[in-house]
Amino acid sequence: MMRGYAPKPRKRCPIPFAKDPEGLVHSKVRRTPDRLVKGLSYIMEDEPDVNNGSQSLPPFGGGGQKRWFERGESFKLNTTMKVKVHCGFTRSSGAGMTIADMRYVKGCKYVVASGIFNPYSIIHQPTNVSVHSRKLFCFVMLVDEKILSLMKYRETVEEDIHGGLRAGIWRLIPLKHLPYNETRRNEEISKLLIHRLIPQAQYSIWVSSKMVLVADPLLILERYLWREGHSFAISQHGYHHSIYEEANASKRRKKYSRPRIDAQMKVYQSEGLEPWSTKKRVISDVPEASIIIREHTMLNNLFSCLWFNEVHLFTPLDQLSFGYVAHRLGEAFKYFMFPFCEFNSLFELHSHSWDRFEMRFGGEINVA
C-alpha cells in the first residue's frame, strides 16, 4: 500500500486438520526407522587450509574446510551408511548458548522454532495453540545478542525461574558465536541446523519470523507427517516450479548478487540438474521455505546439513538449493510438498518493513 499499490489477496483453502489436538495420542506415533543412513556424525575439527592439489571451498561458518571432491562424495548414499559430514559447527565455533539454554533445549523433543537476526522484525505470538501443545512443544526463538538487547528495549522480555528469557510463548535463545556478517546467512543457521542446535528434538516446525502461525502445531504434525507416513513436509512455491525460473525472478527483484546467482545455476546445470518438467517425479523443485515440518531422522538431518552447505557455498537463497540437494539424493529422500493455498491458511503474513518499524516505534535503530 505504501508503494502505491494494493497486494493481491492470498488464495487460501481449508486444511483437513484433525478435530481436536487434545485427542491426539502423540506417544503412540511410530518413529520413522533409519533404514538407509544408519549413523550420522559431524566433522568437529577445523581442517588446515591445505588442498593437496584439489580446489577448496570457503571455510564453513564454523565447519572447517570442505573440498570439492568431498562435496560430491557427501551426496552418495548406500545401504550401510554411517555418514560423517560438515554441518555448520565445529568444536571451536559452536553456537554459544548459555548453560541455562543448553539445559532447556535438552528437554525439547517437540519444537516450534523461529529466528530473528535483523532489527526490522518483531516477535509474533502464535494463535490457536491448544493447552496440550503448550505443554508438549518448546517454542524457541533464536536471536543474536544485539537483537536481544533491542528486544529488551521494545518487547516485554521476562526472566523465568530457571534463568531463561521469555517473550510470551517464546523462549528467547541468543546465539553468541554466529559466523557471518550477513544477516540472511545467520538466519539459515536457525532454519536449517535445528537438529544441531536442539539435538534431542524428534520433530520440529520451523516458521519464518514474518509469519504468525494460526494453527495448532500438533495438528500440523498430524496433518502433514503422521497421517500419511511422511517425515518431511514443505509447501509448494506460489509461482515457480523450476529453480532456474526462481533464479531469474530473484535477479529481477534484486534479492542477491546476479553474478553469485548465475554462478550457482551454472554449477547446478553442469552437474545435471535439468529444469523442472511434468516428467519429473516431484511436484516442484522450488519450495515456499517459510515453513519446514520435519521428523528428525538421520536422513532428514543429513539433508539439512547438505542444504546448509549449499547455502554456505553459494547464496543464502535457500529456495535455489533445496531442489538441487533433493535431486542429488534421488529416490532416497522423500518429502511431501503440500499445496500453496494450504500454506496461506497456516499463517498471517507480516513483512519485514523499515516503514512499518518506523511507524510503530519511531526514530532510528541502534543495535550497537
Side-chain angles (χ1 to χ4, degrees):
M1 293 291 287
M2 299 184 69
R3 292 185 176 89
Y5 64 88
K8 293 180 181 179
R10 302 165 69 214
K11 182 180 178 181
R12 304 175 187 270
C13 57
I15 303 174
F17 281 134
K19 291 184 178 180
D20 182 13
E22 305 291 342
L24 293 176
V25 185
H26 63 277
S27 60
K28 293 185 179 181
V29 175
R30 295 183 63 182
R31 297 287 310 276
T32 302
D34 292 303
R35 292 193 176 95
L36 183 59
V37 180
K38 303 295 183 181
L40 182 63
S41 58
Y42 309 110
I43 294 172
M44 296 301 295
E45 303 297 336
D46 292 305
E47 299 174 15
D49 189 11
V50 294
N51 55 34
N52 296 322
S54 62
Q55 186 176 3
S56 287
L57 307 187
F60 271 45
Q65 294 285 340
K66 182 180 175 72
R67 302 178 181 87
W68 279 102
F69 81 89
E70 290 176 336
R71 173 177 174 268
E73 290 295 313
S74 65
F75 292 109
K76 296 179 180 179
L77 303 180
N78 60 65
T79 56
T80 59
M81 285 198 71
K82 289 188 177 180
V83 184
K84 192 170 186 178
V85 294
H86 292 82
C87 196
F89 303 115
T90 59
R91 205 179 311 280
S92 63
S93 55
M97 292 184 187
T98 66
I99 294 175
D101 289 334
M102 286 190 289
R103 188 181 298 117
Y104 173 78
V105 300
K106 282 184 178 180
C108 295
K109 293 183 178 180
Y110 293 77
V111 178
V112 176
S114 189
I116 294 179
F117 297 92
N118 71 74
Y120 311 127
S121 295
I122 59 175
I123 296 177
H124 301 295
Q125 300 296 332
T127 62
N128 302 316
V129 180
S130 65
V131 174
H132 185 37
S133 290
R134 285 177 179 269
K135 294 178 180 178
L136 180 64
F137 282 81
C138 296
F139 290 80
V140 174
M141 180 67 70
L142 298 159
V143 297
D144 64 27
E145 291 184 299
K146 290 183 179 180
I147 296 303
L148 179 61
S149 297
L150 185 61
M151 286 180 175
K152 289 178 178 179
Y153 171 74
R154 72 185 194 197
E155 308 277 358
T156 303
V157 176
E158 300 177 344
E159 183 171 335
D160 63 23
I161 59 174
H162 304 294
L165 298 174
R166 290 194 172 273
I169 200 172
W170 296 103
R171 171 69 176 253
L172 303 180
I173 296 184
L175 305 179
K176 296 182 180 179
H177 304 309
L178 292 169
Y180 302 112
N181 293 324
E182 192 175 353
T183 296
R184 282 184 290 182
R185 290 190 189 273
N186 285 329
E187 288 175 345
E188 294 298 321
I189 294 172
S190 71
K191 182 175 186 176
L192 303 183
L193 300 182
I194 291 295
H195 63 290
R196 303 257 6 234
L197 298 169
I198 310 177
Q200 278 73 33
Q202 296 179 1
Y203 296 92
S204 70
I205 302 170
W206 188 88
V207 180
S208 170
S209 61
K210 64 185 177 183
M211 303 292 189
V212 179
L213 186 64
V214 297
D216 185 86
L218 195 58
L219 293 182
I220 291 175
L221 291 184
E222 192 279 332
R223 159 68 181 101
Y224 294 108
L225 299 187
W226 300 337
R227 187 179 302 178
E228 297 179 13
H230 302 296
S231 67
F232 192 106
I234 198 166
S235 170
Q236 299 175 30
H237 194 274
Y239 303 100
H240 303 133
H241 292 82
S242 168
I243 67 168
Y244 300 108
E245 293 174 343
E246 177 65 16
N248 289 331
S250 297
K251 289 189 291 184
R252 286 196 304 271
R253 295 169 187 163
K254 299 180 180 179
K255 287 187 174 181
Y256 208 69
S257 160
R258 282 174 173 260
R260 295 294 296 272
I261 294 175
D262 287 339
Q264 184 174 3
M265 294 302 100
K266 186 176 180 180
V267 169
Y268 289 174
Q269 190 172 25
S270 70
E271 294 180 344
L273 180 62
E274 297 179 355
W276 182 89
S277 72
T278 53
K279 296 179 181 179
K280 285 197 170 187
R281 66 177 179 87
V282 294
I283 296 174
S284 172
D285 283 338
V286 184
E288 172 47 72
S290 294
I291 181 171
I292 305 172
I293 307 161
R294 57 199 151 187
E295 181 182 2
H296 287 219
T297 65
M298 290 188 186
L299 181 57
N300 286 346
N301 291 345
L302 174 62
F303 176 84
S304 297
C305 291
L306 298 177
W307 191 6
F308 176 80
N309 292 349
E310 294 299 299
V311 166
H312 167 81
L313 175 59
F314 293 110
T315 71
L317 306 178
D318 53 47
Q319 291 166 312
L320 299 182
S321 47
F322 174 89
Y324 169 78
V325 178
H327 162 74
R328 290 298 301 268
L329 293 182
E331 293 284 347
F333 179 68
K334 295 178 173 61
Y335 57 95
F336 175 39
M337 191 169 263
F338 55 88
F340 184 68
C341 62
E342 288 192 21
F343 166 82
N344 287 335
S345 298
L346 288 170
F347 299 102
E348 295 291 343
L349 173 64
H350 294 264
S351 61
H352 303 303
S353 171
W354 163 260
D355 296 310
R356 182 169 56 79
F357 179 91
E358 198 171 38
M359 284 190 298
R360 178 166 177 177
F361 297 105
E364 298 181 353
I365 304 171
N366 181 8
V367 294

